Amino acid sequence: MSTNRETLRALMAASKAKDHDAFLALWVDEGLEYYWSMHAKPITSKETLRKFLRNYGASFDQQEWTITHCIEQGDLMFCEGIEVLFDKTNQRQIRNPFMQALEFRDGKLAKMRDYYDGSVVAPPQRKSAGG
């Protein structure tokens, strides 16, 4: 198994354990970029990433993070998978298929870009009062 794949497995384990310190230790100190949404600016510091993790955890409980397919070339990796989330606000489980593009530097994660169907994670539409 490659060092980068080991880093990804450790990241997934830290996420499942909700160990933010271990999760952040697997990222580079300088030049970090995490694109959690195609519609938002990237997170570019560990401090901001820690805040994101805390806010995310307040709304969602990530119950599973499974990689189904993964290809790697040098320090680039592309992974497809499913995450199972529990939406705490709407009290529902969500199966969220995703694609991730990852870039590693010196055995640590430098960049991650998440692609997912936002409609899967969006809150359910409310029925109108009229009917």
Side-chain angles (χ1 to χ4, degrees):
M1 181 182 315
S2 75
T3 301
N4 294 337
R5 203 161 292 220
E6 289 172 11
T7 299
L8 179 58
R9 287 186 193 275
L11 190 79
M12 292 168 68
S15 177
K16 185 171 181 81
K18 298 172 183 28
D19 186 342
H20 295 174
D21 290 333
F23 187 92
L24 293 168
L26 295 163
W27 286 79
V28 295
D29 292 323
E30 300 292 325
L32 174 157
E33 291 180 24
Y34 174 47
Y35 296 84
W36 64 275
S37 169
M38 294 186 307
H39 308 290
K41 292 181 180 180
I43 293 171
T44 57
S45 73
K46 285 186 176 182
E47 178 183 323
T48 306
L49 185 53
R50 182 183 296 279
K51 288 178 188 174
F52 173 83
L53 293 170
R54 190 171 41 244
N55 291 339
Y56 184 85
S59 298
F60 297 100
D61 178 25
Q62 185 182 50
Q63 298 174 336
E64 254 181 73
W65 178 3
T66 304
I67 303 293
T68 55
H69 300 93
C70 200
I71 59 171
E72 183 176 3
Q73 184 175 11
D75 282 336
L76 299 176
M77 188 181 293
F78 298 92
C79 299
E80 178 182 37
I82 294 278
E83 70 175 338
V84 177
L85 306 170
F86 183 75
D87 177 343
K88 295 176 182 179
T89 303
N90 296 294
Q91 296 294 299
R92 66 186 181 116
Q93 190 177 64
I94 301 167
R95 290 184 51 80
N96 184 32
F98 68 86
M99 185 75 185
Q100 291 175 320
L102 305 106
E103 185 176 329
F104 296 85
R105 188 178 329 123
D106 300 323
K108 290 191 173 193
L109 191 56
K111 296 179 183 181
M112 178 188 281
R113 187 179 298 266
D114 282 339
Y115 299 95
Y116 57 91
D117 181 354
S119 69
V120 173
V121 181
Q125 297 219 351
R126 294 182 183 193
K127 295 181 182 177
S128 66

